[in-house]
Structure formats: C-alpha cells, structure tokens
Amino acid sequence: MAQSTPEEACRKSNHDLPTKKDLLTRLNRIEGQIRGIKGMIENDVYCDDVITQLAASQSALNSVAKVLLDGHVKSCVKNRILAGDDEVIDELITTVQKLMRK
C-alpha cells in the first residue's frame, strides 16, 4: 500500500480526543445560541438584545476557528513545510485572509 504524502494526510483532521470533544461542545453551544436567536426573532425581541446575542455567537465561532487554526498550523502546515511543500504557505495565507474578513 502506498504511503500518503504529508498534504494528503492532512486532508483529514487529526485532532486528539480532548480537542475534538472541546470543539464539539463549543459548536453545540453555538447551535443552541443560534436556535435562541431564531426564537428571539420569532418573538419580536428588542433588536439590541438580538444583536448582543449575535455578537456572542460570532465571538464563539471565532474561538472555534482559532482552535482549529492553531492545530492546523502546528500539524498540517508544519509537516508540509518540513516535507518541502511550500505551497502550504499560500494556502495558509488564504485561510487567514478568510478569517480576517469577519
């Protein structure tokens, strides 16, 4: 069986179990926040209160993205650079630019 390249190996996440559990817990909490915001809209809650909850949800999503980016840089990006694959740098720059648009 052929061995995968560092790039191919990182096309799947390699989170350890505690990190994966943490990410899923965070995302479940965000999912609940979004359902709550939907209910606020349905119940004509004061706009400022809805916006406050939206800001909290956005902040929570940003926290998830930071955890993912940290793991990505420390594993996939590092391994691909060590393997001589400098294209990963352009990919990382594009990813960071996507996060900065928010």
Side-chain angles (χ1 to χ4, degrees), residues 2-102:
Q3 219 174 5
S4 61
T5 66
E7 180 180 2
E8 292 168 338
C10 276
R11 290 299 168 190
K12 286 189 79 173
S13 63
N14 297 309
H15 306 295
D16 59 28
L17 191 56
T19 300
K20 191 172 188 175
K21 282 184 174 183
D22 176 59
L23 289 169
L24 291 172
T25 298
R26 289 171 186 250
L27 290 169
N28 285 334
R29 192 175 306 123
I30 294 165
E31 185 178 22
Q33 286 177 308
I34 299 302
R35 280 194 306 271
I37 292 167
K38 181 180 175 190
M40 292 172 81
I41 298 290
E42 290 170 344
N43 293 315
D44 299 318
V45 171
Y46 186 61
C47 295
D48 189 60
D49 295 336
V50 176
I51 292 168
T52 298
Q53 289 305 309
L54 285 169
S57 297
Q58 286 173 331
S59 178
L61 280 170
N62 287 338
S63 292
V64 170
K66 287 176 190 177
V67 170
L68 287 170
L69 183 61
D70 180 73
H72 180 59
V73 170
K74 290 178 179 176
S75 61
C76 295
V77 173
K78 176 184 170 185
N79 292 338
R80 286 177 61 186
I81 288 172
L82 290 173
D85 181 3
D86 290 339
E87 289 179 21
V88 72
I89 295 169
D90 291 331
E91 179 186 285
L92 178 61
I93 290 168
T94 299
T95 299
V96 171
Q97 287 173 341
K98 288 176 188 176
L99 288 172
M100 292 177 70
R101 284 186 210 146
K102 298 176 181 184

